[in-house]
Amino acid sequence: MNRKTIFSIVLVISMIALSACASATAAPASRNIENAPSPSHDLPPPEPAATSSTDPNATAPTADTPISMDPSLACSGGKTTASLTLELTEGPYYTPGSPEQANLYQDGMPGTKLIVTGYVYDTNCQPVANAWLDFWQADATGEYDNSGYTLRGHQFTDANGYYTLTTVVPGIYPGRTEHIHFKVQAPNGQIITSQLFFPGVAQNESDGIFDESLLLPIQETKDGLQAQFNFVVPEQ
């Protein structure tokens, strides 16, 4: 084998070795490119954000949402609106200028003692502070004091719209059922004049003024009777 042939063989072996080396170094670079993250616009869309469990079809209460017609529950149980307290006739025995007093009961007064408590709200179920309430009624025998102020008095709600009235259960006079007259007014608002009634009274059915939405929910106590009633007046 001459020198030229040996040189050719060495040259071929060198070329083969260089080719193998080049392939070995190029492969990892190729794998890195294939496994590199795709551009951001090719990424899968993000998972949707967590949604509230609230029913999407639920609607917030509005002024048109029906509510209980029981005024004693007018603004409880999460309600946000309420209907105005029903207006009824004033009657012939109203006397203006009654004394400011929440307690109309006098020691020794005949009849069953009654305590009525509650709140004055506006139609958005917001309590009305300093609302004016004026009450008047017959005594246990069905007689009105038309020359003085027995069983007559006015008061104002506190900062929370709360009031309390201490009185007696009124008697019945011909043509009427048991009732307590009242006027209620938010500061500088419209006056509502109406009457409160008592459940289980036979004359309720024949009384032309009676309305069951104005019934007092009566409960017995060791000292007499108690009831709760919430008034709803126009917004201030």
Side-chain angles (χ1 to χ4, degrees):
M1 183 179 297
N2 57 30
R3 182 180 297 176
K4 185 177 180 179
T5 301
I6 295 172
F7 177 79
S8 297
I9 294 172
V10 171
L11 180 61
V12 171
I13 293 172
S14 297
M15 291 179 67
I16 293 173
L18 287 172
S19 177
C21 183
S23 298
T25 57
S30 177
R31 285 195 296 271
N32 288 341
I33 291 173
E34 291 175 356
N35 296 331
S38 302
S40 59
H41 61 272
D42 290 329
L43 292 174
E47 292 294 326
T51 57
S52 169
S53 61
T54 302
D55 181 356
N57 297 319
T59 56
T62 67
D64 297 325
T65 302
I67 64 169
S68 170
M69 293 303 293
D70 181 355
S72 67
L73 303 176
C75 289
S76 63
K79 294 182 176 67
T80 59
T81 60
S83 300
L84 292 175
T85 297
L86 180 68
E87 293 192 76
L88 295 177
T89 181
E90 178 182 280
Y93 301 125
Y94 176 64
T95 301
S98 67
E100 183 175 347
Q101 55 184 12
N103 185 1
L104 308 185
Y105 181 81
Q106 300 174 9
D107 289 340
M109 179 177 283
T112 303
K113 188 175 183 180
L114 170 67
I115 297 177
V116 183
T117 60
Y119 293 86
V120 175
Y121 292 104
D122 65 21
T123 53
N124 290 318
C125 284
Q126 297 302 306
V128 180
N130 204 38
W132 172 73
L133 298 117
D134 196 5
F135 295 98
W136 72 101
Q137 65 172 84
D139 63 17
T141 67
E143 296 291 331
Y144 285 86
D145 178 5
N146 293 315
S147 59
Y149 292 100
T150 301
L151 292 173
R152 298 174 183 269
H154 73 271
Q155 59 178 287
F156 299 91
T157 57
D158 66 13
N160 298 311
Y162 180 80
Y163 79 93
T164 180
L165 171 69
T166 303
T167 186
V168 296
V169 176
I172 295 174
Y173 59 88
R176 289 304 317 274
T177 189
E178 294 177 359
H179 62 281
I180 297 175
H181 293 270
F182 68 86
K183 292 179 181 286
V184 58
Q185 177 189 30
N188 302 314
Q190 172 190 334
I191 297 176
I192 288 183
T193 301
S194 196
Q195 303 175 28
L196 299 175
F197 300 101
F198 293 77
V201 180
Q203 286 81 353
N204 286 346
E205 295 183 5
S206 59
D207 190 296
I209 300 173
F210 170 80
D211 191 284
E212 64 179 5
S213 72
L214 295 163
L215 280 171
L216 288 170
I218 299 293
Q219 293 182 331
E220 293 186 8
T221 70
K222 63 179 182 179
D223 298 321
L225 300 177
Q226 66 178 19
Q228 291 183 320
F229 195 92
N230 295 338
F231 299 98
V232 180
V233 297
E235 295 178 50
Q236 302 177 62

